[in-house]
Amino acid sequence: MLWWVWHWQLDAAMREARRHADARLALYTSSLDGALARFAYLPDLLARQPLIQSALGMDNPAVIRRVNRHLARVAADSEAEAIYLMNRRGLTVAASNHATPGSFIGHRYDYRPYFRAALRGDQGEFFAVGSTTGRPGYFVSAPVISGPREAGDRQPVAGALAVKVSLESLQADWRQAGEKVLVSDANGVVILSSRPDWRFRHFGRLDASAREAIRAQRQFNGAALEPLGERLADGSLLIGGEPAGGAVGDPVGERYFITSSPLSTLGWRMHYLVPVRPLYASARDAVLVAAAGCLALLLLGLWLRERQQRLWLREREARIMREANERLESRVASRTRELESAQAELVQAGKLAALGTMAAGIAHELNQPLAGIRTYAASGARLIERGREATAADNFRRIQALSDRLATLIRQLKLFARKGGAREPVDLAARLDFVLELLDDRLTRQGVRLTVERPEGSGGGVWVAGDEVRVEQLLTNLLRNALDALRDVASPQLTVTLAVDEAQVILTVADNGPGIEAEVLEHLFDPFYTTKAVGDGLGLGLFIAFGIVQDLAGRIRAENRPAGEGGGARFHVELPCARQATQRHSNEEAQT
Ligand code: ADP
């Protein structure tokens, strides 16, 4: 690809350079041809003038002077370097430059081809370095024929008139245009050049006979005629680089390709030299640009690929994560479903177990008093038969007590089934007194030391929102449990405190019994959870207490009292205050 760019750019540059060279060459050839053609007619024109002709016939100094002046004027008008008249022997008799130190007068030019041509009666032209002035120039000549001319006859030639044209200014123009232009003569010797050091050197081969002719005609004033550069295989010309030709001053040498065109004069050729180095440089630059472009494209490609890969990897990671998440979620969902069904089964099993326990407990609780009633009734009937009515009456009383127990049990169960209820102000302190009174018998029997603390300045009332039955039930359950716990205690103590804290009434029931074991503490408020022997407890007391507190929008918790405070268990109940009700109630009391 780079090779292709190189060739393409080099070809394009070459084509362009060649086109330019051809155009310049055409311009310079026509201008040189034009410059030379201007003088072609001049010698013959002058040779026909009687004044000129008369100068050759006689040796009259006055005539020679006139001719000299005339030639000088014509030379000045035509911009010829010199115009001069030679006699048959080639001796200059009159010249435009007669008054200058380099005057041609008295010099012989019979060895010059242009003189010989004129002598033969022809127009002559020649390029040579002036043997008098040392300045190169183009010489054009015409025969001077004495006497009237007659067509067809060969007439005696009296002498020759020659015009020397300097072409130095032309070369200066080429130089100024910065171009390498050469003109070589028929022998291949460079006679005009935009570079002065290339003049009088030759292209190609200069054979011995040509050298001899040049020497005989003193054409180049004895110049060495070194070859100009070296022709390479591809036809280009390498100039410089040769140590011997030091004048060129370029140790590496410069390669040129040449376009040439013939001129109409003397077999001359004009050559236009195009330096090859800039063409190669432009090709090299194009290759560099192309290489840089390729590199940039390559880097871009790599970058795009890398970006694509990164995106792909990121997408893949995201996909993997998504899939993992989805898998996880579906597993969680399925596990949740399993757990839910397992839990449902457990709940179902738990319900059945609880129902079983409850049924067993209720059956036992009911069975005992019923058995007692049956026994007392049977023995009562026998006592009446025997006439012991007094003892039978005692049986009836016992039957009544057992029925009461059954009624209490059933009431509890009904309460368990009952939800909600009224929310009216209830005096917790009064209900406490009532319940303690009911339990007074047990307290005395167990020898319990009871302490009740009430808030000061409350006028004895501590008001909560609820209904009396449930509040009493709550107190009964807590106090009964405490009394149960104090059953085997040496000096049993029961402390009940009532306190009011802003919107809350706080009730604590503490005993110095054995306290509650950690394992029991966890299930304390569960239904049918009991540590007591069958018949002693149903495991509903605290469950009912918990339900009542919930209904009254309060809280209940149990803890073990620190040994420093007497040990045992302590129940802590918070119930919302019924302040407004309290207010209303106390107002009513004040009125009565
Ligand atoms: P029950 O009294 O019928 O056993 P509860 O629900 O009232 O049912 O009580 C559950 C259990 O809590 C009791 O069996 C007992 O182990 C424990 N408990 C309740 N109150 C106390 C207390 N004051 N001291 C020690 N343990 C208690």
Side-chain angles (χ1 to χ4, degrees):
M1 156 50 189
L2 291 179
W3 180 88
W4 179 82
V5 169
W6 165 268
H7 276 271
W8 176 77
Q9 177 62 29
L10 193 62
D11 271 4
M14 284 276 192
R15 259 198 317 277
E16 174 59 27
R18 213 174 283 280
R19 205 183 50 73
H20 175 76
D22 287 344
R24 303 301 285 173
L25 199 59
L27 182 74
Y28 290 138
T29 344
S30 69
S31 74
L32 181 57
D33 275 339
L36 298 180
R38 269 203 318 143
F39 295 97
Y41 67 94
L42 190 57
D44 190 45
L45 199 75
L46 288 169
R48 286 168 188 271
Q49 291 180 350
L51 177 65
I52 304 292
Q53 290 171 355
S54 65
L56 288 177
M58 59 199 80
D59 197 12
N60 185 340
V63 174
I64 296 295
R65 269 202 302 280
R66 270 187 63 202
V67 172
N68 277 343
R69 276 203 300 280
H70 178 60
L71 292 180
R73 202 163 46 246
V74 174
D77 289 348
S78 66
E79 292 178 357
E81 187 183 316
I83 305 176
Y84 51 105
L85 181 67
M86 290 158 286
N87 64 15
R88 277 186 63 83
R89 282 178 293 119
L91 183 74
T92 308
V93 292
S96 61
N97 57 6
H98 60 93
T100 61
S103 167
F104 292 172
I105 293 177
H107 288 275
R108 280 185 69 163
Y109 298 112
D110 57 341
Y111 52 88
R112 294 290 206 194
Y114 64 85
F115 173 76
R116 296 192 175 173
L119 213 60
R120 285 195 302 272
D122 295 328
Q123 277 245 350
E125 53 181 353
F126 192 53
F127 184 90
V129 178
S131 57
T132 316
T133 57
R135 281 203 300 275
Y138 168 69
F139 298 84
V140 56
S141 67
V144 182
I145 295 162
S146 50
R149 292 188 182 217
E150 283 167 28
D153 281 350
R154 254 196 112 68
Q155 292 178 312
V157 176
L161 188 111
V163 175
K164 180 184 179 184
V165 182
S166 165
L167 296 170
E168 300 305 303
S169 63
L170 213 62
Q171 298 178 97
D173 289 348
W174 299 341
R175 217 175 7 258
Q176 263 167 17
E179 287 173 313
K180 309 273 185 295
V181 186
L182 309 176
V183 175
S184 64
D185 68 6
N187 288 321
V189 176
V190 178
I191 51 173
L192 295 172
S193 163
S194 56
R195 276 184 64 161
D197 53 321
W198 289 354
R199 266 174 114 177
F200 311 124
R201 302 171 75 183
H202 70 90
F203 284 136
R205 299 221 328 268
L206 189 60
D207 57 34
S209 63
R211 274 186 189 276
E212 179 50 35
I214 288 166
R215 203 188 51 74
Q217 295 159 1
R218 301 186 210 168
Q219 191 179 1
F220 301 116
N221 235 358
L225 302 181
E226 300 279 353
L228 176 64
E230 183 190 341
R231 278 279 182 168
L232 302 180
D234 62 352
S236 63
L237 183 69
L238 177 69
I239 302 179
E242 66 274 28
V248 176
D250 183 351
V252 179
E254 175 85 64
R255 247 179 86 203
Y256 300 91
F257 77 76
I258 303 175
T259 36
S260 307
S261 161
L263 287 157
S264 48
T265 315
L266 291 167
W268 291 3
R269 288 181 74 78
M270 184 174 264
H271 311 276
Y272 188 91
L273 273 61
V274 180
V276 173
R277 198 178 291 165
L279 305 181
Y280 278 93
S282 83
R284 186 200 57 211
D285 290 350
V287 165
L288 285 179
V289 168
C294 283
L295 195 70
L297 275 177
L298 189 77
L299 288 177
L300 185 74
L302 284 175
W303 179 74
L304 281 175
R305 215 184 80 174
E306 146 92 24
R307 189 161 153 261
Q308 192 62 38
Q309 273 180 348
R310 256 204 327 265
L311 278 177
W312 186 78
L313 274 177
R314 208 176 299 158
E315 258 171 36
R316 207 174 125 223
E317 272 171 21
R319 201 176 58 240
I320 290 172
M321 290 286 286
R322 208 165 45 239
E323 283 170 5
N325 265 352
E326 280 165 8
R327 267 203 306 278
L328 209 65
E329 268 172 28
S330 80
R331 272 171 64 185
V332 166
S334 84
R335 192 55 61 84
T336 309
R337 273 196 304 278
E338 282 169 20
L339 284 175
E340 276 171 359
S341 78
Q343 195 192 17
E345 281 169 20
L346 278 177
V347 167
Q348 195 60 24
K351 275 184 190 165
L352 287 176
L355 207 61
T357 318
M358 186 169 102
I362 293 170
H364 187 88
E365 287 290 317
L366 293 178
N367 231 1
Q368 270 197 329
L370 273 178
I373 288 171
R374 207 181 297 127
T375 315
Y376 286 128
S379 70
R382 274 199 304 274
L383 285 172
I384 291 172
E385 279 171 15
R386 288 182 205 156
R388 292 169 58 187
E389 280 86 3
T391 324
D394 191 44
N395 269 23
F396 284 123
R397 268 196 302 280
R398 285 176 195 269
I399 288 171
Q400 195 178 9
L402 286 170
S403 330
D404 282 349
R405 190 165 165 199
L406 283 174
T408 312
L409 191 68
I410 287 164
R411 199 173 64 239
Q412 269 204 20
L413 288 172
K414 267 165 76 183
L415 198 106
F416 177 54
R418 194 167 125 196
K419 270 272 170 202
R423 283 274 191 101
E424 57 208 22
V426 176
D427 184 0
L428 188 58
R431 293 303 100 210
L432 178 66
D433 289 342
F434 175 72
V435 172
L436 285 173
E437 220 175 275
L438 284 183
L439 294 172
D440 189 46
D441 187 33
R442 254 189 97 179
L443 286 165
T444 323
R445 218 172 20 193
Q446 284 186 225
V448 174
R449 197 155 67 86
L450 175 72
T451 317
V452 179
E453 292 172 11
R454 298 161 203 269
E456 282 174 21
S458 63
V462 176
W463 297 89
V464 295
D467 64 306
E468 286 187 359
V469 182
R470 283 190 296 171
V471 171
E472 281 168 17
Q473 188 67 46
L474 168 69
L475 290 166
T476 311
N477 288 3
L478 293 178
L479 291 169
R480 263 191 212 283
N481 274 346
L483 289 173
D484 284 350
L486 290 173
R487 207 171 268 164
D488 301 322
V489 175
S491 54
Q493 289 180 13
L494 179 61
T495 312
V496 183
T497 63
L498 287 176
V500 181
D501 170 25
E502 294 195 2
Q504 308 266 36
V505 171
I506 297 153
L507 158 78
T508 59
V509 179
D511 59 69
N512 63 344
I516 311 166
E517 282 173 30
E519 191 202 335
V520 177
L521 210 50
E522 273 177 38
H523 302 285
L524 211 55
F525 299 102
D526 290 356
F528 304 110
Y529 183 83
T530 178
T531 56
K532 293 168 194 169
V534 177
D536 273 356
L538 269 177
L540 286 176
L542 285 180
F543 174 66
I544 289 170
F546 184 84
I548 292 171
V549 172
Q550 288 269 300
D551 270 359
L552 302 186
R555 277 196 304 225
I556 180 167
R557 65 187 158 83
E559 62 192 358
N560 282 315
R561 231 174 13 167
E565 292 178 32
R570 174 160 60 196
F571 284 80
H572 190 98
V573 181
E574 288 172 20
L575 294 171
C577 244
R579 253 183 219 288
Q580 289 167 345
T582 314
Q583 205 67 41
R584 203 172 58 232
H585 201 86
S586 29
N587 288 348
E588 280 166 12
E589 272 187 352
Q591 282 169 7
T592 51

